[in-house]
């Protein structure tokens, strides 16, 4: 996971711990120097590299990237203009290693400024909310649309197509997923209250699902293909965790409560004979 600055330390933790609890063996967090100690205190389970804004940071990233199987970029990244060059460099390196990548939160802000950096990289999944989607549509499709929790599914597909058939997950009243060729909708019940950090759970879990899906190899998964299938699974899991947490905690639900539901929901949805 790439992200984490002095202002935002919760988001990278939520994404990383969600990836771990969904089933990743090890999770690394590459964050800015001032965020490192804070994130380390949240959990001893994560491997934290506080190098994202340091002079030697790229050397450390270069040494670790070949050992990674999936990447999340964005949670807690911040909007520091001085990081634009480094983010672009990291994205180019991720592509050179052919790694699946999830881009969320402030990673999408950087992407809006330079959308061509990801164009045509079909192992990429972006997870915009209504506002982030509106900005991307303006940047990529040159259309002004108001943010909506229920956009036209075809518009999601149009954005995916224009970005070279990457996979777009529009988070809203229902989650709309498209790689430009297929459109899938996850509309199962979630929580009436969407707490801050729920998107981080989705992006972290999605990174683990993506690796599993990609590991099936060419022809290993039927249409709509590994990125869309992984995205749908992660959306379904996040919605299930939100609902179960709300049933127990009501409007007091926080992302920590949702994360505590990952094991039971994963088992119920994917390891038992049950409805999805």
């Amino acid at each position: 996971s790439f992200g984490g600055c002095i202002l935002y330390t919760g988001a990278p933790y939520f994404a990383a711990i969600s990836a771990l609890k969904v089933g990743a063996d090890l999770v690394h967090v590459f964050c800015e120097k001032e965020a490192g100690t804070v994130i380390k205190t949240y959990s001893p389970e994560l491997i934290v590299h506080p190098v994202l804004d340091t002079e030697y940071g790229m050397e450390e990233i270069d040494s670790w990237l070949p050992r990674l199987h999936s990447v999340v970029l964005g949670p807690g990244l911040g909007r520091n203009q001085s990081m634009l060059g480094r983010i672009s460099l990291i994205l180019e390196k991720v592509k050179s290693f052919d790694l699946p990548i999830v881009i969320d939160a402030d990673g999408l802000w950087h992407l809006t400024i330079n959308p061509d950096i990801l164009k045509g990289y079909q192992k990429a999944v972006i997870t915009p909310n209504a506002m982030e989607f509106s900005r991307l549509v303006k940047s990529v499709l040159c259309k002004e649309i108001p943010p909506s929790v229920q956009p036209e599914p075809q518009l999601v597909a149009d954005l995916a197509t224009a970005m070279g058939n990457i996979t777009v997950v529009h988070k809203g009243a229902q989650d709309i997923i498209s790689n430009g060729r297929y459109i899938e909708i996850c509309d199962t019940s979630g929580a009436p209250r969407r707490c801050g950090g729920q998107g981080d759970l989705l992006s972290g879990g999605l990174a683990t699902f993506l690796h599993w899906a990609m590991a099936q190899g060419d022809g290993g998964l039927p249409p709509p293909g590994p990125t869309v299938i992984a995205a749908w699974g992660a959306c379904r899991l996040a919605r299930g965790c939100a609902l179960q947490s709300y049933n127990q905690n009501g409007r007091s639900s926080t992302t920590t409560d949702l994360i505590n539901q990952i094991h039971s929901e994963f088992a119920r949805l994917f390891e038992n004979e049950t409805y999805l």
Side-chain angles (χ1 to χ4, degrees), residues 77-125:
L77 190 62
R79 298 183 180 181
N80 189 339
Q81 290 275 4
S82 65
M83 289 294 288
L84 281 171
R86 183 156 288 195
I87 296 307
S88 297
L89 188 57
I90 290 169
L91 281 172
E92 290 295 348
K93 289 178 182 292
V94 166
K95 291 193 292 183
S96 72
F97 286 111
D98 206 30
L99 295 171
I101 184 169
V102 181
I103 300 185
D104 186 31
D106 288 332
L108 295 171
W109 182 79
H110 288 277
L111 186 64
T112 300
I113 296 171
N114 184 17
D116 287 343
I117 191 76
L118 211 60
K119 188 169 184 177
Y121 188 63
Q122 295 181 15
K123 289 190 176 182
V125 181

Side-chain angles (χ1 to χ4, degrees), residues 50-248:
V51 300
L52 202 52
D53 59 342
T54 63
E55 185 179 346
Y56 57 86
M58 287 312 302
E59 293 177 21
E60 175 134 349
I61 290 167
D62 283 343
S63 71
W64 281 102
L65 264 181
R67 309 182 216 182
L68 305 181
H69 296 98
S70 191
V71 170
V72 180
L73 187 145
L77 190 62
R79 298 183 180 181
N80 189 339
Q81 290 275 4
S82 65
M83 289 294 288
L84 281 171
R86 183 156 288 195
I87 296 307
S88 297
L89 188 57
I90 290 169
L91 281 172
E92 290 295 348
K93 289 178 182 292
V94 166
K95 291 193 292 183
S96 72
F97 286 111
D98 206 30
L99 295 171
I101 184 169
V102 181
I103 300 185
D104 186 31
D106 288 332
L108 295 171
W109 182 79
H110 288 277
L111 186 64
T112 300
I113 296 171
N114 184 17
D116 287 343
I117 191 76
L118 211 60
K119 188 169 184 177
Y121 188 63
Q122 295 181 15
K123 289 190 176 182
V125 181
I126 63 174
T127 56
N129 60 24
M131 180 60 73
E132 292 159 346
F133 182 76
S134 177
R135 292 190 192 113
L136 278 165
V137 166
K138 182 178 180 181
S139 174
V140 177
L141 299 178
C142 302
K143 291 182 180 179
E144 294 273 0
I145 62 155
S148 169
V149 295
Q150 290 184 303
E152 285 295 324
Q154 187 57 48
L155 189 59
V156 179
D158 291 345
L159 178 63
T161 300
M163 296 188 73
N165 297 106
I166 69 169
T167 296
V168 180
V169 179
H170 183 286
K171 302 177 293 193
Q174 53 187 16
D175 297 324
I176 303 170
I177 306 158
S178 180
N179 59 6
R181 302 182 181 96
Y182 299 91
I183 298 172
E184 298 291 339
I185 294 175
C186 186
D187 57 1
T188 53
S189 295
R193 174 180 186 266
R194 185 180 180 92
C195 61
Q198 187 169 330
D200 303 316
L201 185 158
L202 172 64
S203 62
L206 174 51
T208 302
F209 277 118
L210 263 182
H211 168 61
W212 289 338
M214 293 293 183
Q216 301 300 311
D218 292 337
L221 290 175
T227 55
V228 175
I229 290 172
W232 190 93
C235 289
R236 181 65 187 90
L237 179 63
R239 284 175 170 268
C241 291
L243 179 60
Q244 293 306 317
S245 175
Y246 189 84
N247 288 341
Q248 292 181 20

Side-chain angles (χ1 to χ4, degrees), residues 8-14 35 37-46:
Y8 303 118
T9 57
Y13 163 74
F14 290 142
T37 302
V38 180
I39 297 171
K40 286 179 188 228
T41 63
Y42 293 153
S43 172
E45 312 287 350
L46 306 176

